[in-house]
Amino acid sequence: MSVDRALAVVRERGGDELAERLSFLDARAGASRRVDDVLAAPDADARPEVDVVMAGGGLSLLVAAELARLGVSVVVLERARAGVAHREWNASDRELRPLVEAGIVSEAELERLVVARYDDGFCAFHGGPARHVRGVLDRAVDAGPLLARARAVCEERGVRFLDGAEVTGAAASEHAVRVAHRGGEVLARVMIDARGASSPWASADLVCPTVGGVMRGLRGWDPRVGEILVTTEGIEDGVQHVWEGFPGRPGALTVYLFYYARASAVPPGALARLYARFFETLPTYKEGEGALERPTFGYIPGWSRLVPGPASPSPRIVLVGDAAARHSPLTFCGFGSMLRSFRPAAASIASAIDAKRAPSRDVVPEEPVHAFTGALARLMASGAMRGEALNALLDAAFATLEEIGQETYADLLADRMSAQDFMSFLLRTSAKQPSVYAHVLHGLGPLASARWGLRVAMRARGA
Ligand SMILES: Cc1cc2nc3c(=O)[nH]c(=O)nc-3n(C[C@H](O)[C@H](O)[C@H](O)COP(=O)(O)OP(=O)(O)OC[C@H]3O[C@@H](n4cnc5c(N)ncnc54)[C@H](O)[C@@H]3O)c2cc1C
């Protein structure tokens, strides 16, 4: 299918606003990320009108809601409308608990937000066996109502929203930050940059272009089973394309196609091209005349931890969500990561404001396992592997996880794996696929490979 035809389908099914969002994201992909306008920093005697200004009102609204609960005043500036979801999300029961604990939803509301529950999930690589896992990514969450609820809670708690306010620049002094948007300026004590992949500071080295959406009419799936990672071909056009299939409301399957890439290698328009491939190759994944009911897409940034991570230019500007890219560089589960981090992040910002100091730059807690898995994601994005090499490696890796046990398998996908378990997983996988050492060397280069190997070995020994 041509790119123009694919874009026409997205517009037809998703409407003009969604089509505009796709071109906004595609114009700012990878190397062409926008740079903020240069502004003068606030004067030393400038008086902030609000504690926190949040740029971007997507999933990070959870942080705004929690800040408001802690008594912090917040203004949200959103280029479109805040609290509108363009995704479908999966997580586990355990990860969803903070939504109730933070008073964003009641138990009963959470029950209603979970539109599907799976008994099981699996990963399968190009004709290989399904590698089953339980207890992870097994709840499909209705993203639209969740974000609408987060906005309503924010409003009840006094958060002010400016929709249609695209942030164009920010400048901080020691005590305040000036944030410019299309309709004016706001002076705050702290700015939270929650603009996701479009933030000028979202400099993570990896990215996962992802397209697809909610589909009906497809056959060959089970409503009680989540398809976490599935490949139907080898490396094509230099990348390994991966499918996901998550059952949602009765009869609906959310299908995504994505690939791992180095952020600097993704040219503008990558999502539009991926949509063309999605429609063309969907029959290799599922049978039936599938109709796209609701398109969902995006660039999910990932940080390999082999290079410096995204950082803001000032302690008064804090990165959260995809802009910070502290989530797993392997699974790119930013939703799960936000569920775990929005309360600690808000508590850290609120206590800094209370103490009249700048927040710590790293308000999103780092999971130790990412220091190990980032290199694997970087390897997959490196283009160092050809043909079926990556499928063979992935199948060996997931066969190993199956052998080690369900708990460890789920731990890896939910960012909980320990260094010791990771070391044993690596050794067992490389015994099955010794060529992995050559691929790592080729994909990461000798220096990064040595640094990473040393880091894993030291952490595994408890150093
Ligand atoms: C298709 C897809 C499926 C996903 N599925 C899952 C999943 O199943 N499980 C999981 O854990 N994670 C999933 N993720 C990842 C997850 O959705 C993200 O990690 C999460 O949405 C990041 O939240 P955020 O607030 O940082 O950014 P976003 O939710 O992307 O929000 C950013 C907001 O900033 C706004 N904005 C951008 N620029 C400006 C500007 N200049 N001024 C003002 N506003 C601006 C945007 O309009 C947007 O509303 C998925 C991602 C995609 C793309």
Side-chain angles (χ1 to χ4, degrees):
M1 183 185 276
S2 73
V3 170
D4 285 347
R5 177 71 200 121
L7 288 178
V9 175
V10 172
R11 184 179 293 276
E12 197 182 293
R13 307 310 304 176
D16 287 346
E17 200 182 318
L18 209 73
E20 185 277 332
R21 188 181 156 78
L22 181 68
S23 46
F24 174 84
L25 291 177
D26 255 352
R28 283 158 179 75
S32 53
R33 211 174 49 243
R34 188 183 177 284
V35 177
D36 268 353
D37 297 344
V38 178
L39 297 182
D43 297 336
D45 57 354
R47 300 187 79 84
E49 60 205 90
V50 66
D51 292 326
V52 168
V53 60
M54 176 178 272
L59 177 61
S60 303
L61 279 188
L62 297 180
V63 180
E66 181 66 358
L67 280 170
R69 196 183 69 80
L70 296 170
V72 174
S73 60
V74 184
V75 169
V76 176
L77 305 175
E78 164 60 51
R79 62 172 288 275
R81 179 175 160 79
V84 177
H86 306 278
R87 318 270 158 90
E88 297 298 316
W89 287 316
N90 286 74
S92 65
D93 268 337
R94 173 163 149 182
E95 287 170 313
L96 292 167
R97 291 308 305 162
L99 292 175
V100 177
E101 289 155 11
I104 289 166
V105 293
S106 66
E107 294 281 358
E109 283 163 340
L110 183 60
E111 273 293 296
R112 284 196 294 276
L113 283 177
V114 175
V115 291
R117 293 176 166 75
Y118 317 145
D119 301 329
D120 194 17
F122 71 81
C123 301
F125 303 100
H126 199 187
R131 308 289 181 188
H132 290 271
V133 64
R134 282 172 179 268
V136 67
L137 294 169
D138 55 357
R139 300 290 181 262
V141 175
D142 210 347
L146 171 60
L147 285 201
R149 179 76 195 132
R151 178 172 175 143
V153 170
C154 281
E155 282 170 340
E156 280 160 22
R157 295 178 182 172
V159 174
R160 213 152 47 85
F161 283 89
L162 292 181
D163 293 316
E166 181 174 344
V167 171
T168 52
S173 66
E174 206 181 320
H175 302 290
V177 56
R178 178 202 303 272
V179 181
H181 60 90
R182 295 261 176 241
E185 279 190 6
V186 181
L187 196 63
R189 289 179 211 290
V190 172
M191 169 183 172
I192 297 181
D193 191 329
R195 286 177 281 179
S198 333
S199 160
W201 302 301
S203 61
D205 54 331
L206 304 176
V207 71
C208 208
T210 305
V211 303
V214 180
M215 304 205 66
R216 286 187 185 271
L218 293 173
R219 295 193 304 274
W221 55 279
D222 180 338
R224 306 288 303 183
V225 177
E227 303 191 8
I228 300 169
L229 298 171
V230 178
T231 60
T232 55
E233 60 188 8
I235 291 173
E236 296 277 338
D237 303 331
V239 298
Q240 178 67 62
H241 291 92
V242 185
W243 294 95
E244 285 183 351
F246 288 115
R249 293 182 183 285
L253 181 70
T254 299
V255 180
Y256 290 130
L257 181 65
F258 70 88
Y259 60 91
Y260 294 89
R262 278 176 296 119
S264 58
V266 174
L271 290 183
R273 276 191 297 281
L274 190 58
Y275 254 126
R277 187 182 187 93
F278 175 89
F279 292 120
E280 207 166 277
T281 59
L282 182 63
T284 67
Y285 177 47
K286 291 290 167 218
E287 295 164 12
E289 284 297 307
L292 185 63
E293 190 176 83
R294 198 160 73 84
T296 48
F297 49 80
Y299 288 100
I300 319 176
W303 173 34
S304 70
R305 274 75 174 172
L306 295 175
V307 294
S312 79
S314 153
R316 291 266 157 199
I317 301 177
V318 175
L319 306 184
V320 299
D322 281 1
R326 266 36 178 194
H327 52 262
S328 166
L330 202 56
T331 63
F332 284 66
C333 281
F335 177 55
S337 167
M338 178 64 75
L339 292 172
R340 288 191 296 274
S341 66
F342 77 92
R343 299 195 76 195
S348 163
I349 296 167
S351 80
I353 287 173
D354 210 33
K356 299 196 171 13
R357 57 175 169 77
S360 140
R361 284 193 198 211
D362 280 321
V363 296
V364 181
E366 176 72 328
E367 316 274 352
V369 70
H370 301 333
F372 316 138
T373 53
L376 302 182
R378 178 104 184 177
L379 171 64
M380 289 194 271
S382 70
M385 299 169 91
R386 300 267 179 271
E388 294 293 335
L390 189 52
N391 278 325
L393 178 60
L394 288 169
D395 186 59
F398 283 82
T400 306
L401 288 169
E402 241 185 0
E403 282 160 25
I404 297 178
Q406 282 297 308
E407 209 176 313
T408 310
Y409 190 166
D411 280 354
L412 178 70
L413 295 178
D415 301 341
R416 296 187 299 255
M417 193 187 241
S418 69
Q420 288 79 4
D421 282 348
F422 186 77
M423 188 68 171
S424 130
F425 158 66
L426 266 191
L427 292 175
R428 290 172 73 155
T429 302
S430 56
K432 287 191 175 81
Q433 283 281 318
S435 58
V436 65
Y437 294 111
H439 291 312
V440 168
L441 211 61
H442 181 202
L444 306 186
L447 206 62
S449 305
R451 237 188 281 130
W452 174 65
L454 205 64
R455 189 190 289 166
V456 176
M458 285 175 66
R459 292 271 181 89
R461 289 175 49 203

